[in-house]
Amino acid sequence: MRNTILLLSLLVSFIDLNAQAWTDVGLKLGGGVSYLYNSNIESNNIYNPKPFKSGSYNIGAKAGINIGEHHSLNGEVMFSSMKKLFVYKTGLGELDSDNEIKWTNIDLYLLYRHYREGSFLEIGVMRSNVRKVEQTDVPAGLLNEVDVSNFYESGYWSGVLGTGTFIAGSDRFTVMLGIRMHVGLTDFVSEAGHNNIDPFPNSNVSGSTAIERVNTMPILVEFMSEFNFGLGFFAKTVCSGRVKWFGS
């Protein structure tokens, strides 16, 4: 709450400096490649991560306050579906097995965006509220997308960095395309997952041998499309000098 009040205070300060400010809302669509980084898996030659067979898509909405020509603060809500596929040796000759993890989130973003010459750079944070995690790993006994949500955290944080450009639009409607990278800042695997004999998500690799505990970080790189609609603007009234919002 304190951080929210601070951000609002900064926005009011900008407006009091006579910078033009307006609000907009938008529809967002995205798709790309999702990944789960775990250093035990990366250093284990039994495993073969398949980054380009691991996909994601999301859909959601944004609301923003734009200040002047170059600055905006945006909040977003996205419904996301992600997947990560690993292939590993089972120890039965050269037979390979798939370990596929699917998870769905409701993602909440807070982003600062800087505009310049028809393009933008954005940076911020994302809180992912995990709705469900399913895993298929036949040798480990996980058949047909078993619900393993208890082995994963109910939420995690990510840092977000993106860039994009205007494609088309008018005074009240714009279309933008961009690319974003999300890097996990907290562990995706829960305490139950770490305490399991075969720690998730690297099932059936260590057997009963204890391995060093490391974090599993979700990573997402995706292309984004954004359709924005202007709602109104802030301005000072002549009679009182107070800042008011006017719908357009």
Side-chain angles (χ1 to χ4, degrees), residues 73-183:
L73 185 67
N74 299 300
E76 299 180 5
V77 180
M78 303 289 288
F79 297 87
S80 305
S81 176
M82 283 168 280
K83 178 176 70 173
K84 180 71 192 86
L85 174 65
F86 301 95
V87 176
Y88 68 96
K89 303 291 185 183
T90 62
L92 303 175
E94 294 299 317
L95 183 63
D96 291 343
S97 182
D98 291 347
N99 180 9
E100 185 177 76
I101 303 163
K102 295 181 178 179
W103 70 103
T104 55
N105 296 339
I106 297 177
D107 297 323
L108 305 177
Y109 292 79
L110 181 62
L111 300 165
Y112 165 76
R113 184 176 285 185
H114 181 78
Y115 295 97
R116 184 170 295 275
E117 297 179 355
S119 62
F120 65 85
L121 178 70
E122 61 185 3
I123 188 170
V125 294
M126 176 183 73
R127 168 66 181 181
S128 295
N129 298 306
V130 181
R131 304 173 68 193
K132 190 175 185 179
V133 185
E134 296 177 313
Q135 192 159 350
T136 303
D137 189 353
V138 175
L142 304 176
L143 311 177
N144 300 323
E145 298 184 355
V146 177
D147 188 340
V148 292
S149 300
N150 60 311
F151 291 113
Y152 293 85
E153 295 288 357
S154 60
Y156 58 88
W157 289 90
S158 298
V160 182
L161 180 65
T163 186
T165 187
F166 289 92
I167 299 299
S170 61
D171 291 341
R172 295 189 59 186
F173 174 74
T174 57
V175 179
M176 290 185 276
L177 294 179
I179 186 171
R180 274 183 182 171
M181 183 173 185
H182 312 66
V183 178

Side-chain angles (χ1 to χ4, degrees), residues 156-242:
Y156 58 88
W157 289 90
S158 298
V160 182
L161 180 65
T163 186
T165 187
F166 289 92
I167 299 299
S170 61
D171 291 341
R172 295 189 59 186
F173 174 74
T174 57
V175 179
M176 290 185 276
L177 294 179
I179 186 171
R180 274 183 182 171
M181 183 173 185
H182 312 66
V183 178
L185 302 175
T186 57
D187 195 2
F188 188 28
V189 177
S190 68
E191 193 67 27
H194 282 292
N195 291 335
N196 198 48
I197 293 177
D198 293 319
F200 285 72
N202 49 330
S203 302
N204 213 35
V205 171
S206 62
S208 60
T209 303
I211 59 175
E212 181 184 1
R213 175 170 175 166
V214 298
N215 290 343
T216 298
M217 303 298 195
I219 297 175
L220 171 63
V221 179
E222 63 179 348
F223 292 99
M224 301 293 301
S225 57
E226 185 175 302
F227 307 89
N228 293 313
F229 303 87
L231 290 183
F233 62 96
F234 292 96
K236 284 186 176 181
T237 59
V238 175
C239 56
S240 66
R242 294 181 178 179

